[in-house]
Amino acid sequence: MVAAINRPDAMKKDQTNIDKGVEQTRMDSKTDQKTKVIRPEHPFAKHQNRILVGFLVSFSAHEAGQFWLLKEGNNTIGSSPDANIKLNDETVTQQHALLNIRIDRKTNRFRYTLKDENSTNGTFVNGEDIVMEPYICQHFDKIQIGDYTLLLVKVDKNEHDMIYNPELFEQLNNDDLSDPWAFLK
């Protein structure tokens, strides 16, 4: 049995693309049978299997604020629709900057390296132009990209001894809470 979650905000206009979504198997409590559920792919899906390592927070474009998830690996920042952190403003170049986050094998801590990608208006950290040299970011650095001011909030699970609990995951997987992105839908 295949069922699509019928939520107007999650459904795409073209239903023929539903099979490109995320497939999950759930126990149907009414029939005690397994049900295959296909959800449309969430915008953060390209990040899902990478470790959460922080956030960029801004109040530049919205008074209530905005945030973007940072994941281990390359986090592209720009106005391009393909950017991981999309900043919709004419002062932001399509491929403006790259925030690379990797484990430092010596310290077993994450290293956050920001590099300007030859942008038109430059990239600034705490008021200093980083020009073409990669910059090693610190917790609460203020990053200026175009008219956006972004606050870097680092979350290093290794530094804070935060570990994965497979028993908790299994419990959540048996409930209807197995989708870690459910709160964003």
Side-chain angles (χ1 to χ4, degrees), residues 102-111 156 158-159:
R102 295 274 183 232
I103 280 281
D104 183 330
R105 294 192 194 279
K106 293 178 186 172
T107 64
N108 199 33
R109 303 284 189 256
F110 284 100
R111 178 183 213 125
D156 189 334
N158 298 330
E159 187 175 338

Side-chain angles (χ1 to χ4, degrees), residues 56-96:
L56 287 176
V57 179
S58 179
F59 292 89
S60 298
H62 299 282
E63 188 175 3
Q66 294 176 275
F67 72 95
W68 296 267
L69 301 175
L70 296 175
K71 295 287 191 146
E72 181 179 22
N74 287 332
N75 295 269
T76 56
I77 305 170
S79 59
S80 166
D82 295 329
N84 298 113
I85 293 115
K86 186 171 189 274
L87 304 177
N88 221 358
D89 189 73
E90 61 188 25
T91 62
V92 178
T93 307
Q94 285 205 353
Q95 309 293 320
H96 199 104

